[in-house]
Amino acid sequence: MTRDPIILTTYDWVPDFPRGHVRDIRIRWLLEEIDRPYRIETVPLQKKTPEHLARQPFHQVPMIRDGELSLFESGAILLYLAEGTDLMPGGDDRMRTIQWLIAALNSVEFYSAAWLVGKFFHKNEQSAAEFGKIAQDKLAHLQDVLKGRDWLVAGRFTVADLLMADILRLPAQHGLLDGLPDLRAYHDRALSRPAFQKALADQIAHFRAADAAMAQASA
Ligand SMILES: N[C@@H](CCC(=O)N[C@@H](CS)C(=O)NCC(=O)O)C(=O)O
């Protein structure tokens, strides 16, 4: 049976800074991993609409549509799409995978996001340093868990690794993984997957095409 493509919604355009990191990247990555066809639709970043709010109560992206079902929250979307694929193990490992996916969002991204906001948005060195220290403490614990194993659950790459590795990208790019070689190796192992490379290239291309369309419209 052929299924309709998933519709993945992201912004029509973003400035340079978040390119490569807009959270649709997680969904693109998973869709590439499971070889599920999808197409991109957009909502405007600069003039947020009631239609957008009706689907995403915080006026954010990503969102997906699968037939009649519209979903928001990247973690929930990943869990939905991973179900029944190699990225979601069975038995007790299913709940372990969900546990680690929630830990990625709530125990790692929570602190790395606070660090990011302090550092890049509020440009508050003291807040960035405080949250950076807490984030590094969590990352050290994560490295302990990964000692002697390649992936978080079931001895194979799962949706929990996909999300964890994406969440580690900004901390890794800004030195928070320095001194954590096993965690760095885990992160590199995940990001070397062709599905991630394709997702990253596609997101960058999407926003470059938006630049070109804007330049043409204003010419
Ligand atoms: N918890 C949400 C966070 C989504 C989120 O922060 N999206 C960003 C883009 S990566 C966004 O839309 N930011 C604009 C805003 O918050 O107004 C998820 O994981 O889907």
Side-chain angles (χ1 to χ4, degrees):
M1 189 180 77
T2 54
R3 291 190 285 186
D4 286 341
I6 296 288
I7 299 169
L8 171 58
T9 304
T10 186
Y11 286 124
D12 55 349
W13 175 90
V14 295
D16 281 343
F17 168 68
R19 291 186 187 194
H21 293 277
V22 182
R23 284 176 174 78
D24 67 81
I25 189 95
R26 302 168 175 182
I27 318 302
R28 290 176 186 266
W29 183 359
L30 185 128
L31 288 164
E32 295 294 339
E33 290 280 356
I34 64 175
D35 208 15
R36 181 108 188 240
Y38 66 99
R39 67 183 164 81
I40 298 291
E41 285 188 356
T42 62
V43 286
L45 172 73
Q46 277 159 335
K47 195 165 178 290
K48 290 185 171 173
T49 62
E51 293 77 24
H52 179 180
L53 192 63
R55 287 186 60 204
Q56 216 291 3
F58 307 106
H59 245 155
Q60 296 177 317
V61 301
M63 304 174 276
I64 62 157
R65 205 187 284 285
D66 184 11
E68 295 295 301
L69 179 67
S70 174
L71 282 178
F72 67 93
E73 269 305 322
S74 59
I77 296 170
L78 290 176
L79 287 174
Y80 171 72
L81 292 171
E83 204 63 56
T85 76
D86 287 350
L87 295 190
M88 179 59 88
D92 286 349
D93 281 339
R94 180 174 180 280
M95 267 325 295
R96 290 190 188 103
T97 302
I98 295 171
Q99 162 194 272
W100 273 110
L101 180 137
I102 292 173
L105 292 169
N106 210 33
S107 299
V108 179
E109 187 169 53
F110 179 84
Y111 294 103
S112 72
W115 159 76
L116 269 171
V117 168
K119 190 169 175 69
F120 295 106
F121 293 98
H122 294 172
K123 303 200 187 313
N124 178 332
E125 280 309 319
Q126 190 187 342
S127 151
E130 280 166 16
F131 281 111
K133 207 164 162 313
I134 302 175
Q136 274 178 311
D137 181 59
K138 307 293 175 213
L139 296 175
H141 286 302
L142 180 60
Q143 169 165 277
D144 289 344
V145 169
L146 284 162
K147 278 232 155 67
R149 63 202 231 204
D150 279 355
W151 306 113
L152 288 166
V153 185
R156 68 176 212 244
F157 180 80
T158 68
V159 62
D161 297 300
L162 183 154
L163 183 56
M164 187 67 87
D166 184 44
I167 286 170
L168 292 177
R169 289 172 60 221
L170 280 168
Q173 285 169 19
H174 294 278
L176 264 57
L177 267 56
D178 293 357
L180 297 171
D182 294 340
L183 190 59
R184 164 70 74 172
Y186 164 77
H187 173 256
D188 292 350
R189 196 156 47 244
L191 265 51
S192 67
R193 296 175 72 86
F196 171 74
Q197 296 299 327
K198 167 102 173 57
L200 180 61
D202 286 352
Q203 185 182 102
I204 300 287
H206 169 77
F207 292 122
R208 286 224 178 102
D211 287 340
M214 279 163 75
Q216 203 172 25
S218 65

